[in-house]
Short mmCIF file of all heavy atoms in Angstrom, two decimals:
data_model
loop_
_atom_site.label_atom_id
_atom_site.label_comp_id
_atom_site.label_asym_id
_atom_site.label_seq_id
_atom_site.Cartn_x
_atom_site.Cartn_y
_atom_site.Cartn_z
N MET A 1 96.97 130.96 127.94
CA MET A 1 95.76 130.31 127.55
C MET A 1 95.72 128.88 127.91
O MET A 1 96.65 128.13 127.81
CB MET A 1 95.63 130.49 126.07
CG MET A 1 94.29 130.14 125.54
SD MET A 1 94.20 130.57 123.81
CE MET A 1 92.42 130.81 123.78
N TYR A 2 94.65 128.47 128.63
CA TYR A 2 94.52 127.19 129.17
C TYR A 2 93.49 126.33 128.36
O TYR A 2 92.56 126.94 127.83
CB TYR A 2 94.08 127.15 130.48
CG TYR A 2 94.98 128.01 131.44
CD1 TYR A 2 94.56 129.25 131.92
CD2 TYR A 2 96.25 127.71 131.78
CE1 TYR A 2 95.43 130.18 132.63
CE2 TYR A 2 97.11 128.49 132.50
CZ TYR A 2 96.59 129.70 132.93
OH TYR A 2 97.46 130.50 133.65
N GLY A 3 93.80 125.09 128.18
CA GLY A 3 92.88 124.21 127.29
C GLY A 3 91.78 123.56 128.03
O GLY A 3 91.66 123.67 129.34
N HIS A 4 90.93 122.93 127.31
CA HIS A 4 89.77 122.27 127.89
C HIS A 4 90.17 121.01 128.73
O HIS A 4 89.47 120.74 129.73
CB HIS A 4 88.83 121.92 126.79
CG HIS A 4 89.33 120.87 125.72
ND1 HIS A 4 90.43 121.17 124.93
CD2 HIS A 4 88.92 119.64 125.45
CE1 HIS A 4 90.68 120.15 124.10
NE2 HIS A 4 89.82 119.15 124.50
N ARG A 5 91.32 120.38 128.50
CA ARG A 5 91.66 119.32 129.31
C ARG A 5 92.12 119.88 130.70
O ARG A 5 91.89 119.26 131.69
CB ARG A 5 92.75 118.54 128.77
CG ARG A 5 93.16 117.31 129.45
CD ARG A 5 94.29 116.47 128.74
NE ARG A 5 94.77 115.45 129.63
CZ ARG A 5 95.01 114.21 129.23
NH1 ARG A 5 94.76 113.80 127.99
NH2 ARG A 5 95.43 113.36 130.10
N ASN A 6 92.71 120.94 130.65
CA ASN A 6 93.19 121.63 131.98
C ASN A 6 91.87 121.98 132.73
O ASN A 6 91.85 121.85 134.01
CB ASN A 6 93.97 122.87 131.70
CG ASN A 6 95.22 122.67 131.10
OD1 ASN A 6 95.37 121.86 130.15
ND2 ASN A 6 96.32 123.31 131.53
N LEU A 7 90.86 122.56 132.07
CA LEU A 7 89.67 122.84 132.84
C LEU A 7 89.01 121.62 133.42
O LEU A 7 88.54 121.63 134.63
CB LEU A 7 88.64 123.58 131.95
CG LEU A 7 87.30 123.89 132.45
CD1 LEU A 7 87.48 125.01 133.56
CD2 LEU A 7 86.33 124.51 131.42
N CYS A 8 88.96 120.56 132.66
CA CYS A 8 88.42 119.23 133.07
C CYS A 8 89.18 118.77 134.37
O CYS A 8 88.57 118.38 135.43
CB CYS A 8 88.42 118.31 132.06
SG CYS A 8 87.87 116.66 132.54
N ALA A 9 90.50 118.86 134.31
CA ALA A 9 91.32 118.41 135.38
C ALA A 9 91.10 119.26 136.62
O ALA A 9 90.96 118.72 137.77
CB ALA A 9 92.80 118.46 134.98
N LEU A 10 91.01 120.61 136.46
CA LEU A 10 90.76 121.48 137.66
C LEU A 10 89.35 121.05 138.28
O LEU A 10 89.26 120.93 139.51
CB LEU A 10 90.71 122.91 137.20
CG LEU A 10 91.94 123.57 136.97
CD1 LEU A 10 91.84 124.88 136.27
CD2 LEU A 10 92.90 123.57 138.15
N CYS A 11 88.31 120.92 137.52
CA CYS A 11 86.96 120.60 138.06
C CYS A 11 87.00 119.19 138.72
O CYS A 11 86.51 118.98 139.79
CB CYS A 11 86.02 120.66 136.88
SG CYS A 11 85.60 122.28 136.29
N TRP A 12 87.65 118.20 138.01
CA TRP A 12 87.77 116.87 138.52
C TRP A 12 88.53 116.80 139.81
O TRP A 12 87.98 116.11 140.76
CB TRP A 12 88.36 115.99 137.44
CG TRP A 12 88.47 114.57 137.70
CD1 TRP A 12 87.37 113.73 137.57
CD2 TRP A 12 89.52 113.85 138.40
NE1 TRP A 12 87.84 112.39 138.02
CE2 TRP A 12 89.15 112.45 138.42
CE3 TRP A 12 90.89 114.15 138.70
CZ2 TRP A 12 89.94 111.51 138.85
CZ3 TRP A 12 91.68 113.17 139.13
CH2 TRP A 12 91.25 111.94 139.32
N LEU A 13 89.62 117.47 140.01
CA LEU A 13 90.34 117.42 141.13
C LEU A 13 89.51 118.12 142.39
O LEU A 13 89.49 117.56 143.47
CB LEU A 13 91.71 118.14 141.06
CG LEU A 13 92.76 117.39 140.42
CD1 LEU A 13 93.95 118.27 140.05
CD2 LEU A 13 93.13 116.19 141.21
N LYS A 14 88.84 119.26 142.07
CA LYS A 14 88.15 119.89 143.09
C LYS A 14 86.89 119.17 143.57
O LYS A 14 86.59 119.09 144.71
CB LYS A 14 87.85 121.29 142.71
CG LYS A 14 87.09 122.03 143.80
CD LYS A 14 86.80 123.52 143.44
CE LYS A 14 86.14 124.20 144.67
NZ LYS A 14 85.70 125.57 144.27
N GLN A 15 86.22 118.56 142.48
CA GLN A 15 84.89 118.04 142.89
C GLN A 15 84.94 116.58 143.08
O GLN A 15 83.95 116.01 143.63
CB GLN A 15 83.97 118.33 141.73
CG GLN A 15 83.68 119.79 141.54
CD GLN A 15 82.95 120.15 140.29
OE1 GLN A 15 82.05 119.48 139.90
NE2 GLN A 15 83.28 121.31 139.66
N VAL A 16 86.02 115.83 142.77
CA VAL A 16 85.99 114.34 142.94
C VAL A 16 86.85 114.08 144.15
O VAL A 16 86.44 113.55 145.08
CB VAL A 16 86.58 113.66 141.69
CG1 VAL A 16 86.70 112.09 141.99
CG2 VAL A 16 85.59 113.84 140.61
N ASN A 17 88.15 114.51 144.11
CA ASN A 17 89.08 114.25 145.21
C ASN A 17 90.43 114.77 144.96
O ASN A 17 91.07 114.53 143.94
CB ASN A 17 89.21 112.75 145.48
CG ASN A 17 89.89 112.46 146.77
OD1 ASN A 17 90.79 113.29 147.27
ND2 ASN A 17 89.65 111.40 147.31
N THR A 18 90.90 115.69 145.74
CA THR A 18 92.22 116.34 145.45
C THR A 18 93.37 115.39 145.59
O THR A 18 94.42 115.75 145.05
CB THR A 18 92.38 117.52 146.47
OG1 THR A 18 92.39 116.98 147.74
CG2 THR A 18 91.38 118.65 146.28
N SER A 19 93.19 114.22 146.10
CA SER A 19 94.35 113.29 146.19
C SER A 19 94.36 112.24 145.06
O SER A 19 95.14 111.34 145.23
CB SER A 19 94.34 112.69 147.59
OG SER A 19 93.22 111.84 147.73
N ARG A 20 93.61 112.35 144.16
CA ARG A 20 93.62 111.38 143.07
C ARG A 20 94.82 111.52 142.22
O ARG A 20 95.52 112.55 142.20
CB ARG A 20 92.39 111.62 142.13
CG ARG A 20 91.01 111.37 142.71
CD ARG A 20 90.89 109.86 143.13
NE ARG A 20 89.70 109.67 143.90
CZ ARG A 20 88.69 108.98 143.42
NH1 ARG A 20 88.62 108.46 142.23
NH2 ARG A 20 87.64 108.78 144.16
N THR A 21 95.23 110.49 141.36
CA THR A 21 96.47 110.52 140.63
C THR A 21 96.22 110.97 139.26
O THR A 21 95.06 110.97 138.74
CB THR A 21 97.08 109.09 140.67
OG1 THR A 21 96.15 108.29 139.90
CG2 THR A 21 97.18 108.61 142.08
N THR A 22 97.25 111.31 138.60
CA THR A 22 97.24 111.64 137.20
C THR A 22 96.68 110.46 136.38
O THR A 22 95.95 110.62 135.40
CB THR A 22 98.75 111.95 136.64
OG1 THR A 22 99.20 113.06 137.40
CG2 THR A 22 98.64 112.30 135.21
N GLU A 23 97.11 109.27 136.75
CA GLU A 23 96.55 108.12 135.97
C GLU A 23 95.10 107.99 136.09
O GLU A 23 94.43 107.58 135.17
CB GLU A 23 97.25 106.80 136.55
CG GLU A 23 98.68 106.64 136.13
CD GLU A 23 99.68 107.56 137.03
OE1 GLU A 23 99.23 107.94 138.23
OE2 GLU A 23 100.72 107.90 136.58
N GLU A 24 94.58 108.33 137.29
CA GLU A 24 93.10 108.17 137.52
C GLU A 24 92.37 109.25 136.67
O GLU A 24 91.35 109.04 136.04
CB GLU A 24 92.80 108.32 138.95
CG GLU A 24 93.07 107.13 139.83
CD GLU A 24 92.98 107.44 141.32
OE1 GLU A 24 93.53 108.39 141.81
OE2 GLU A 24 92.10 106.57 141.89
N PHE A 25 93.04 110.55 136.60
CA PHE A 25 92.44 111.48 135.76
C PHE A 25 92.50 111.05 134.28
O PHE A 25 91.47 111.24 133.58
CB PHE A 25 93.06 112.83 135.85
CG PHE A 25 92.59 113.82 134.92
CD1 PHE A 25 91.31 114.42 134.95
CD2 PHE A 25 93.34 114.19 133.80
CE1 PHE A 25 90.80 115.26 134.02
CE2 PHE A 25 92.90 115.09 132.81
CZ PHE A 25 91.62 115.62 132.99
N CYS A 26 93.60 110.54 133.91
CA CYS A 26 93.64 110.12 132.45
C CYS A 26 92.62 109.05 132.10
O CYS A 26 91.95 109.17 130.99
CB CYS A 26 95.10 109.59 132.16
SG CYS A 26 96.27 110.85 132.13
N SER A 27 92.28 108.14 133.03
CA SER A 27 91.33 107.19 132.74
C SER A 27 89.89 107.88 132.69
O SER A 27 89.02 107.51 131.78
CB SER A 27 91.29 106.19 133.85
OG SER A 27 92.37 105.36 133.89
N TYR A 28 89.67 108.89 133.52
CA TYR A 28 88.45 109.72 133.45
C TYR A 28 88.34 110.39 132.08
O TYR A 28 87.39 110.35 131.37
CB TYR A 28 88.38 110.63 134.67
CG TYR A 28 87.20 111.62 134.45
CD1 TYR A 28 85.92 111.16 134.84
CD2 TYR A 28 87.44 112.89 133.99
CE1 TYR A 28 84.80 112.02 134.59
CE2 TYR A 28 86.28 113.80 133.88
CZ TYR A 28 85.07 113.31 134.19
OH TYR A 28 83.98 114.24 134.12
N TRP A 29 89.45 111.07 131.66
CA TRP A 29 89.47 111.83 130.51
C TRP A 29 89.26 110.88 129.27
O TRP A 29 88.41 111.23 128.44
CB TRP A 29 90.78 112.60 130.41
CG TRP A 29 90.84 113.35 129.01
CD1 TRP A 29 91.57 113.01 127.97
CD2 TRP A 29 90.22 114.55 128.77
NE1 TRP A 29 91.47 114.03 126.99
CE2 TRP A 29 90.60 114.95 127.39
CE3 TRP A 29 89.37 115.43 129.46
CZ2 TRP A 29 90.21 116.10 126.84
CZ3 TRP A 29 88.96 116.66 128.69
CH2 TRP A 29 89.30 116.94 127.54
N ASP A 30 89.86 109.76 129.28
CA ASP A 30 89.77 108.82 128.10
C ASP A 30 88.31 108.27 128.02
O ASP A 30 87.91 107.95 126.92
CB ASP A 30 90.72 107.72 128.31
CG ASP A 30 92.20 108.22 128.02
OD1 ASP A 30 92.46 109.24 127.50
OD2 ASP A 30 93.10 107.48 128.53
N GLY A 31 87.64 108.27 129.14
CA GLY A 31 86.22 107.73 129.16
C GLY A 31 85.17 108.75 128.69
O GLY A 31 84.03 108.48 128.49
N LEU A 32 85.59 110.08 128.53
CA LEU A 32 84.62 111.08 128.08
C LEU A 32 84.28 110.91 126.62
O LEU A 32 85.18 110.57 125.80
CB LEU A 32 85.14 112.43 128.38
CG LEU A 32 85.47 112.85 129.77
CD1 LEU A 32 86.03 114.27 129.82
CD2 LEU A 32 84.13 112.80 130.60
N VAL A 33 82.99 111.15 126.34
CA VAL A 33 82.62 111.10 124.91
C VAL A 33 82.93 112.51 124.32
O VAL A 33 83.10 113.45 124.95
CB VAL A 33 81.18 110.81 124.80
CG1 VAL A 33 80.95 109.35 125.22
CG2 VAL A 33 80.27 111.81 125.47
N THR A 34 83.04 112.57 122.94
CA THR A 34 83.27 113.72 122.29
C THR A 34 82.40 114.95 122.70
O THR A 34 82.98 116.09 122.87
CB THR A 34 83.14 113.62 120.71
OG1 THR A 34 84.00 112.45 120.35
CG2 THR A 34 83.49 114.81 119.97
N GLU A 35 81.15 114.76 122.84
CA GLU A 35 80.19 115.79 123.36
C GLU A 35 80.65 116.46 124.73
O GLU A 35 80.61 117.64 124.86
CB GLU A 35 78.86 115.32 123.44
CG GLU A 35 77.84 116.40 123.86
CD GLU A 35 76.46 115.86 123.97
OE1 GLU A 35 75.97 115.36 122.94
OE2 GLU A 35 75.90 115.91 125.11
N GLN A 36 81.12 115.54 125.64
CA GLN A 36 81.53 116.09 126.84
C GLN A 36 82.84 116.89 126.79
O GLN A 36 83.02 117.94 127.37
CB GLN A 36 81.84 114.86 127.82
CG GLN A 36 80.49 114.25 128.26
CD GLN A 36 80.77 112.88 129.04
OE1 GLN A 36 81.47 112.04 128.50
NE2 GLN A 36 80.31 112.83 130.25
N ARG A 37 83.74 116.46 126.02
CA ARG A 37 84.96 117.15 125.69
C ARG A 37 84.68 118.48 125.03
O ARG A 37 85.33 119.50 125.40
CB ARG A 37 85.99 116.34 124.90
CG ARG A 37 86.55 115.12 125.59
CD ARG A 37 87.45 114.42 124.80
NE ARG A 37 87.89 113.20 125.43
CZ ARG A 37 89.02 112.54 125.14
NH1 ARG A 37 89.75 112.97 124.14
NH2 ARG A 37 89.32 111.33 125.76
N GLU A 38 83.78 118.57 124.20
CA GLU A 38 83.37 119.73 123.47
C GLU A 38 82.77 120.78 124.44
O GLU A 38 82.88 122.01 124.36
CB GLU A 38 82.49 119.62 122.27
CG GLU A 38 83.12 118.95 121.15
CD GLU A 38 84.32 119.79 120.62
OE1 GLU A 38 84.14 121.01 120.52
OE2 GLU A 38 85.41 119.25 120.36
N GLN A 39 82.03 120.27 125.52
CA GLN A 39 81.57 121.10 126.51
C GLN A 39 82.57 121.76 127.28
O GLN A 39 82.45 122.92 127.65
CB GLN A 39 80.58 120.32 127.39
CG GLN A 39 79.11 119.97 126.72
CD GLN A 39 78.34 119.07 127.55
OE1 GLN A 39 78.81 118.01 128.00
NE2 GLN A 39 77.08 119.43 127.70
N TYR A 40 83.64 121.02 127.61
CA TYR A 40 84.73 121.60 128.32
C TYR A 40 85.52 122.65 127.44
O TYR A 40 85.82 123.71 127.91
CB TYR A 40 85.81 120.41 128.68
CG TYR A 40 85.33 119.76 129.96
CD1 TYR A 40 85.00 118.38 129.88
CD2 TYR A 40 85.36 120.44 131.18
CE1 TYR A 40 84.69 117.73 131.09
CE2 TYR A 40 84.97 119.80 132.28
CZ TYR A 40 84.66 118.50 132.25
OH TYR A 40 84.23 117.82 133.44
N ARG A 41 85.62 122.35 126.07
CA ARG A 41 86.17 123.26 125.18
C ARG A 41 85.42 124.60 125.20
O ARG A 41 85.99 125.70 125.40
CB ARG A 41 86.37 122.68 123.75
CG ARG A 41 87.03 123.59 122.84
CD ARG A 41 87.09 123.10 121.41
NE ARG A 41 87.50 121.67 121.39
CZ ARG A 41 88.81 121.28 121.42
NH1 ARG A 41 89.75 122.29 121.56
NH2 ARG A 41 89.09 120.07 121.24
N ALA A 42 84.12 124.55 125.08
CA ALA A 42 83.29 125.75 125.01
C ALA A 42 83.36 126.51 126.29
O ALA A 42 83.40 127.75 126.28
CB ALA A 42 81.79 125.33 124.63
N GLU A 43 83.39 125.77 127.42
CA GLU A 43 83.42 126.43 128.68
C GLU A 43 84.76 127.18 128.88
O GLU A 43 84.91 128.29 129.40
CB GLU A 43 83.15 125.46 129.83
CG GLU A 43 83.20 126.03 131.26
CD GLU A 43 82.08 127.04 131.49
OE1 GLU A 43 81.08 127.19 130.72
OE2 GLU A 43 82.04 127.60 132.65
N ALA A 44 85.88 126.50 128.56
CA ALA A 44 87.23 127.05 128.63
C ALA A 44 87.30 128.37 127.79
O ALA A 44 87.76 129.35 128.26
CB ALA A 44 88.26 126.07 128.28
N GLU A 45 86.76 128.32 126.55
CA GLU A 45 86.84 129.50 125.76
C GLU A 45 85.98 130.62 126.31
O GLU A 45 86.41 131.69 126.36
CB GLU A 45 86.31 129.08 124.30
CG GLU A 45 87.23 128.25 123.52
CD GLU A 45 86.68 127.79 122.22
OE1 GLU A 45 85.54 128.20 121.82
OE2 GLU A 45 87.28 127.05 121.59
N ARG A 46 84.83 130.28 126.92
CA ARG A 46 83.95 131.33 127.44
C ARG A 46 84.68 132.07 128.62
O ARG A 46 84.77 133.20 128.72
CB ARG A 46 82.61 130.65 127.85
CG ARG A 46 81.71 131.70 128.44
CD ARG A 46 80.41 131.07 129.13
NE ARG A 46 80.76 130.29 130.27
CZ ARG A 46 80.86 130.82 131.43
NH1 ARG A 46 80.92 132.15 131.63
NH2 ARG A 46 81.22 130.01 132.51
N LEU A 47 85.23 131.20 129.52
CA LEU A 47 85.89 131.71 130.72
C LEU A 47 87.17 132.68 130.36
O LEU A 47 87.29 133.69 130.94
CB LEU A 47 86.46 130.62 131.54
CG LEU A 47 85.37 129.80 132.39
CD1 LEU A 47 85.97 128.52 132.98
CD2 LEU A 47 84.69 130.65 133.38
N GLN A 48 87.79 132.24 129.33
CA GLN A 48 88.93 133.01 128.85
C GLN A 48 88.42 134.36 128.23
O GLN A 48 89.05 135.38 128.37
CB GLN A 48 89.90 132.25 127.91
CG GLN A 48 90.57 131.14 128.72
CD GLN A 48 91.44 130.23 127.84
OE1 GLN A 48 91.90 130.60 126.78
NE2 GLN A 48 91.50 128.98 128.27
N GLN A 49 87.47 134.23 127.40
CA GLN A 49 86.80 135.39 126.71
C GLN A 49 86.32 136.42 127.74
O GLN A 49 86.49 137.66 127.55
CB GLN A 49 85.78 135.18 125.76
CG GLN A 49 86.27 134.44 124.38
CD GLN A 49 85.20 134.05 123.55
OE1 GLN A 49 84.02 133.98 123.93
NE2 GLN A 49 85.59 133.38 122.41
N GLU A 50 85.74 135.95 128.74
CA GLU A 50 85.27 136.81 129.87
C GLU A 50 86.35 137.36 130.76
O GLU A 50 86.08 138.22 131.58
CB GLU A 50 84.18 136.13 130.66
CG GLU A 50 82.90 135.75 129.96
CD GLU A 50 82.00 134.92 130.71
OE1 GLU A 50 82.34 134.45 131.93
OE2 GLU A 50 80.79 134.63 130.33
N GLY A 51 87.55 136.70 130.69
CA GLY A 51 88.63 137.18 131.51
C GLY A 51 88.56 136.57 133.03
O GLY A 51 89.22 137.10 133.87
N THR A 52 87.75 135.53 133.12
CA THR A 52 87.61 134.96 134.51
C THR A 52 88.53 133.86 134.77
O THR A 52 88.62 133.30 135.89
CB THR A 52 86.18 134.63 134.76
OG1 THR A 52 85.76 133.67 133.78
CG2 THR A 52 85.22 135.78 134.79
N TRP A 53 89.30 133.41 133.79
CA TRP A 53 90.22 132.36 133.94
C TRP A 53 91.61 132.80 133.42
O TRP A 53 91.95 132.58 132.24
CB TRP A 53 89.79 131.14 133.22
CG TRP A 53 90.63 129.85 133.56
CD1 TRP A 53 91.35 129.61 134.60
CD2 TRP A 53 90.66 128.70 132.75
NE1 TRP A 53 91.89 128.38 134.62
CE2 TRP A 53 91.53 127.71 133.42
CE3 TRP A 53 90.07 128.26 131.48
CZ2 TRP A 53 91.70 126.45 132.94
CZ3 TRP A 53 90.37 127.01 131.09
CH2 TRP A 53 91.24 126.14 131.78
N THR A 54 92.29 133.51 134.27
CA THR A 54 93.58 134.03 133.82
C THR A 54 94.76 133.32 134.38
O THR A 54 95.88 133.55 133.95
CB THR A 54 93.68 135.47 134.23
OG1 THR A 54 93.51 135.67 135.72
CG2 THR A 54 92.54 136.29 133.54
N LYS A 55 94.50 132.51 135.39
CA LYS A 55 95.63 131.69 135.95
C LYS A 55 95.01 130.35 136.44
O LYS A 55 93.84 130.21 136.67
CB LYS A 55 96.30 132.40 137.14
CG LYS A 55 95.41 132.71 138.24
CD LYS A 55 96.18 133.67 139.27
CE LYS A 55 95.07 133.96 140.38
NZ LYS A 55 95.26 135.21 140.95
N PRO A 56 95.87 129.32 136.47
CA PRO A 56 95.29 127.97 136.88
C PRO A 56 94.59 127.85 138.19
O PRO A 56 93.71 127.09 138.36
CB PRO A 56 96.67 127.08 136.90
CG PRO A 56 97.63 127.79 136.08
CD PRO A 56 97.34 129.24 136.18
N SER A 57 94.87 128.74 139.10
CA SER A 57 94.27 128.65 140.42
C SER A 57 92.95 129.47 140.55
O SER A 57 92.39 129.38 141.64
CB SER A 57 95.26 129.20 141.51
OG SER A 57 95.55 130.47 141.19
N ASP A 58 92.44 130.03 139.46
CA ASP A 58 91.15 130.79 139.51
C ASP A 58 90.04 129.88 139.93
O ASP A 58 89.83 128.76 139.29
CB ASP A 58 90.87 131.37 138.22
CG ASP A 58 91.76 132.64 137.93
OD1 ASP A 58 92.35 133.14 138.90
OD2 ASP A 58 91.76 133.05 136.71
N THR A 59 89.43 130.19 141.00
CA THR A 59 88.35 129.29 141.44
C THR A 59 87.07 129.28 140.60
O THR A 59 86.36 128.30 140.57
CB THR A 59 87.88 129.70 142.91
OG1 THR A 59 87.43 131.10 142.88
CG2 THR A 59 89.03 129.52 143.84
N THR A 60 86.89 130.29 139.66
CA THR A 60 85.78 130.28 138.82
C THR A 60 85.91 129.01 137.87
O THR A 60 84.94 128.40 137.59
CB THR A 60 85.81 131.54 137.87
OG1 THR A 60 85.76 132.59 138.83
CG2 THR A 60 84.67 131.61 137.04
N ALA A 61 87.09 128.72 137.43
CA ALA A 61 87.27 127.57 136.42
C ALA A 61 87.10 126.28 137.21
O ALA A 61 86.38 125.45 136.70
CB ALA A 61 88.69 127.68 135.90
N SER A 62 87.63 126.18 138.36
CA SER A 62 87.49 124.83 139.08
C SER A 62 86.08 124.55 139.69
O SER A 62 85.75 123.40 140.06
CB SER A 62 88.50 124.74 140.11
OG SER A 62 88.32 125.66 141.09
N SER A 63 85.30 125.59 139.78
CA SER A 63 83.86 125.47 140.29
C SER A 63 82.88 125.22 139.25
O SER A 63 81.68 125.07 139.55
CB SER A 63 83.53 126.74 140.95
OG SER A 63 84.44 126.96 142.04
N GLY A 64 83.34 125.04 138.02
CA GLY A 64 82.34 124.75 136.95
C GLY A 64 81.73 123.34 136.94
O GLY A 64 82.01 122.52 137.81
N THR A 65 80.95 123.11 135.85
CA THR A 65 80.27 121.82 135.74
C THR A 65 81.29 120.62 135.46
O THR A 65 82.17 120.82 134.58
CB THR A 65 79.17 121.84 134.65
OG1 THR A 65 78.39 122.91 135.00
CG2 THR A 65 78.40 120.61 134.48
N LEU A 66 81.10 119.55 136.16
CA LEU A 66 81.78 118.35 135.83
C LEU A 66 80.94 117.55 134.80
O LEU A 66 79.94 117.00 135.14
CB LEU A 66 82.06 117.57 137.10
CG LEU A 66 83.04 116.36 136.98
CD1 LEU A 66 84.38 116.75 136.62
CD2 LEU A 66 83.03 115.63 138.37
N PHE A 67 81.41 117.53 133.54
CA PHE A 67 80.51 116.83 132.51
C PHE A 67 80.84 115.42 132.49
O PHE A 67 81.81 114.95 132.67
CB PHE A 67 80.94 117.44 131.21
CG PHE A 67 80.56 118.94 131.11
CD1 PHE A 67 81.61 119.89 131.03
CD2 PHE A 67 79.25 119.42 131.03
CE1 PHE A 67 81.30 121.25 131.01
CE2 PHE A 67 78.91 120.74 130.96
CZ PHE A 67 80.00 121.68 130.88
#
C-alpha cells in the first residue's frame, strides 16, 4: 500500500522534472496546504481501491493531477 506523499512525489517527478532532488520535493510538499494533501490522500485511496496502483512504477498513479 502506498501513501499520499508517494503519489505526490510520483506526479511531481513526472510532471515537474525527473532530475529534481529530494530536498526540492520536500520543499514542495511542505508548501502544500492541508486541502491539497487531502486530495492526494483521496486519490491514492481511490487508485488502490480500483487496483490501478499496485506498484510504484504504475503510470496511472504518476499521470494524475498535480495539486
Side-chain angles (χ1 to χ4, degrees):
M1 190 168 207
Y2 306 106
H4 61 296
R5 186 176 170 137
N6 295 46
L7 177 62
C8 178
L10 287 172
C11 292
W12 185 79
L13 283 171
K14 182 175 181 184
Q15 297 174 33
V16 175
N17 189 334
T18 57
S19 64
R20 296 290 174 112
T21 66
T22 300
E23 291 79 21
E24 288 173 304
F25 171 73
C26 288
S27 292
Y28 172 76
W29 177 258
D30 290 343
L32 295 178
V33 296
T34 302
E35 181 180 298
Q36 291 168 306
R37 291 182 186 198
E38 287 304 314
Q39 289 175 307
Y40 281 113
R41 182 182 311 281
E43 182 68 7
E45 289 175 4
R46 183 188 67 78
L47 289 170
Q48 290 176 30
Q49 287 174 354
E50 292 175 353
T52 56
W53 190 21
T54 59
K55 58 186 180 213
S57 61
D58 285 343
T59 57
T60 302
S62 63
S63 298
T65 302
L66 189 63
F67 297 107

